Amino acid sequence: GCTVKYSGYLGNWNKLFCSNGNSKYPRLMKLGKDITLWGLEIGLLSMTKGEAALFVLTPEYAYGQRGCPPSIPPNTTVLFKVEVLDFIDSEECDAFFELTYEQQDRLPLEKVLKVAATEREFGNYFFYKQRFKIAKDRYKRALSILGRSSSSKAEQSQINASKLLLFLNLSLTYLKLERADRALKYGELALEMDQGNAKALFRCGQACLYMREYSKSRDFLARAQCIQPFNRDINNELKKLARYYKEYMEMEKEMCCQMFDPLNSYG
């Protein structure tokens, strides 16, 4: 799949007939499925991420003898201005998920890890586009194929390293989805694998703060701060916790006063 900014022109670059230039987050498109112009497909396959190009497509590489009425007249040469924003090769993933579980299990670990890494890339892509539900599904899809256990210590270590990254991704994504309970669950799964992981401790602290579990939040954040004492995010979260806790205690005090005031008035 690729994310592309494009504009299509007729004539001498003076008549625009299609464009996604106004889109803030161009969608991920598949060559041969979403991008079907033969010339454009060939051109994009020759490009790398971040590259921009101008293509002049003769009718046989574009809309053919018939054109595409009413926008494109018959036998028309079209011009395209293209910029490749991102490239993620999904072909291997698509083929992998078409296999049965038994077939997937027989594949070498290297292949499985590569597919999981690509799925995680897709998750990251959607996360940065703020499409958090889709990101969560891609991370979970990657996790679903890492269930195998290996008798080799080195292989198990590779599996665990991949799973750890996905647990951290899922913890943050669930925070964005305002599902702090799930964020805490995945943060704790990450800590089972690496108890000194500052990022996992931080996520757990954030999740507990969201759920107003102040002492648990303080415990997680203090442990994170011990590992990374100069981390601005951790220190800011501790300040936020102190502020929230102070407000909470003041509110509790006020409620107690209101409860006991009527009793005092009968004194």
Side-chain angles (χ1 to χ4, degrees):
C2 60
T3 322
V4 177
K5 260 192 178 174
Y6 64 85
S7 299
Y9 298 86
L10 298 175
N12 193 18
W13 301 99
N14 53 15
K15 190 179 176 187
L16 182 72
F17 69 86
C18 70
S19 175
N20 71 344
N22 293 327
S23 172
K24 191 179 177 185
Y25 299 125
R27 67 191 182 91
L28 200 64
M29 297 188 286
K30 279 191 178 181
L31 296 175
K33 188 178 174 187
D34 303 304
I35 299 168
T36 52
L37 283 191
W38 189 27
L40 207 48
E41 207 174 328
I42 294 167
L44 285 167
L45 285 168
S46 72
M47 295 174 73
T48 55
K49 182 178 172 178
E51 192 177 347
L54 303 174
F55 295 117
V56 177
L57 306 182
T58 54
E60 63 268 31
Y61 287 98
Y63 296 95
Q65 290 181 352
R66 291 185 180 182
C68 188
S71 307
I72 317 290
N75 266 325
T76 302
T77 293
V78 293
L79 314 164
F80 271 93
K81 188 186 287 183
V82 175
E83 183 187 353
V84 176
L85 305 175
D86 214 342
F87 250 132
I88 307 174
D89 185 5
S90 64
E91 204 173 316
E92 209 169 353
C93 286
D94 296 341
F96 179 89
F97 285 105
E98 280 170 16
L99 301 173
T100 64
Y101 288 124
E102 291 76 23
Q103 288 171 321
Q104 288 178 7
D105 261 353
R106 285 200 291 272
L107 289 173
L109 178 64
E110 190 184 343
K111 178 103 169 173
V112 177
L113 291 173
K114 191 178 175 190
V115 170
T118 304
E119 281 297 313
R120 182 171 170 263
E121 261 189 76
F122 273 112
N124 291 345
Y125 169 82
F126 287 113
F127 182 91
Y128 290 116
K129 297 286 180 258
Q130 302 192 347
R131 308 276 294 280
F132 301 122
K133 282 186 178 174
I134 303 174
K136 173 212 36 150
D137 292 341
R138 298 311 286 247
Y139 294 141
K140 284 194 166 180
R141 197 181 191 208
L143 207 50
S144 74
I145 66 171
L146 294 172
R148 63 163 77 179
S149 55
S150 174
S151 51
S152 153
K153 208 171 181 180
E155 282 196 352
Q156 193 57 53
S157 174
Q158 284 180 289
I159 293 167
N160 289 351
S162 290
K163 284 169 87 169
L164 177 62
L165 291 173
L166 288 160
F167 289 151
L168 291 169
N169 287 138
L170 279 162
S171 185
L172 179 57
T173 306
Y174 273 116
L175 280 171
K176 295 290 185 184
L177 290 167
E178 298 184 350
R179 290 289 311 277
D181 55 330
R182 308 291 292 165
L184 179 61
K185 176 199 158 184
Y186 283 104
E188 287 180 326
L189 283 170
L191 287 172
E192 281 175 23
M193 294 195 150
D194 178 8
Q195 60 181 7
N197 190 295
K199 206 174 268 187
L201 289 164
F202 178 56
R203 301 268 178 267
C204 290
Q206 284 180 298
C208 290
L209 179 54
Y210 187 89
M211 294 187 287
R212 297 179 184 174
E213 294 182 13
Y214 298 119
S215 61
K216 271 180 83 174
S217 177
R218 187 165 51 241
D219 176 51
F220 281 123
L221 292 171
R223 282 163 64 195
Q225 192 187 41
C226 281
I227 297 159
Q228 292 188 5
F230 303 109
N231 184 301
R232 190 185 297 173
D233 291 334
I234 295 169
N235 292 331
N236 284 344
E237 201 72 10
L238 276 162
K239 285 176 195 167
K240 188 169 152 187
L241 168 65
R243 191 171 71 248
Y244 281 21
Y245 187 67
K246 187 184 173 190
E247 287 168 9
Y248 166 75
M249 291 306 287
E250 282 169 359
M251 201 166 67
E252 287 280 291
K253 191 177 170 184
E254 200 176 307
M255 280 173 69
C256 284
C257 289
Q258 285 171 3
M259 282 168 66
F260 290 112
D261 261 359
L263 297 174
N264 295 335
S265 62
Y266 291 112

